[in-house]
Amino acid sequence: MPSIFTKIINGDIPCYKIAEDEDNFAFLDINPNAKGHTLCVPKKEVDRLMDLDEASYMKLMTFSRKVGKAIEAAVPCNRVGMSVIGLEVPHVHVHLIPLHSMKNATFQHKEKMSPEEFEKIAGQIRAYLK
Ligand code: AMP
């Protein structure tokens, strides 16, 4: 069965899309640690980061860097942090998290956002990717 992220990539489940290239897809995390928290996902469905072949790993990191720089430009924050966890969704994803303090890196504190806020921040990040 396809992962929830494959369903998002295929357009079967909605998301707040940020960017896409041939190999990777980025969208806002629905339960964000901070406003602008984004996931970068390889289109190829692989569970564990360390199981990606080297070329796919490097492409994911290059893509994540590009998206992370756009987040840093669009979202006021100290810096963008990067985590790979994967304990909930077994499809590799890089968390890009605008950090204001260590609290945003813990996955314990969650930010409530309205659909309008998600749309707005997604548009602001996308504007820096043009
Ligand atoms: P983890 O697998 O522990 O790295 O966490 C999975 C992440 O995916 C969590 O931060 C979730 O909030 C996020 N997530 C799960 N389902 C969706 C979805 N449909 N759209 C956006 N983010 C999601």
Side-chain angles (χ1 to χ4, degrees), residues 64-129:
S64 299
R65 178 174 182 269
K66 192 173 163 194
V67 173
K69 285 176 92 66
I71 298 170
E72 235 166 40
V75 181
C77 61
N78 180 291
R79 65 194 59 213
V80 169
M82 180 185 275
S83 297
V84 178
I85 314 290
L87 292 173
E88 185 186 321
V89 178
H91 182 160
V92 174
H93 48 284
V94 172
H95 292 263
L96 296 174
I97 307 163
L99 300 177
H100 308 276
S101 72
M102 194 61 193
K103 183 176 76 170
N104 307 118
T106 64
F107 292 83
Q108 303 297 320
H109 170 87
K110 295 293 178 174
E111 197 74 43
K112 285 268 172 297
M113 288 174 69
S114 66
E116 293 74 25
E117 281 183 293
F118 275 112
E119 286 290 3
K120 187 174 172 198
I121 209 156
Q124 288 168 335
I125 297 167
R126 282 196 302 266
Y128 281 96
L129 286 164

Side-chain angles (χ1 to χ4, degrees), residues 23-38:
D23 303 293
N24 298 287
F25 195 99
F27 53 95
L28 293 179
D29 193 298
I30 207 66
N31 189 21
N33 291 16
K35 290 179 184 180
H37 181 166
T38 298

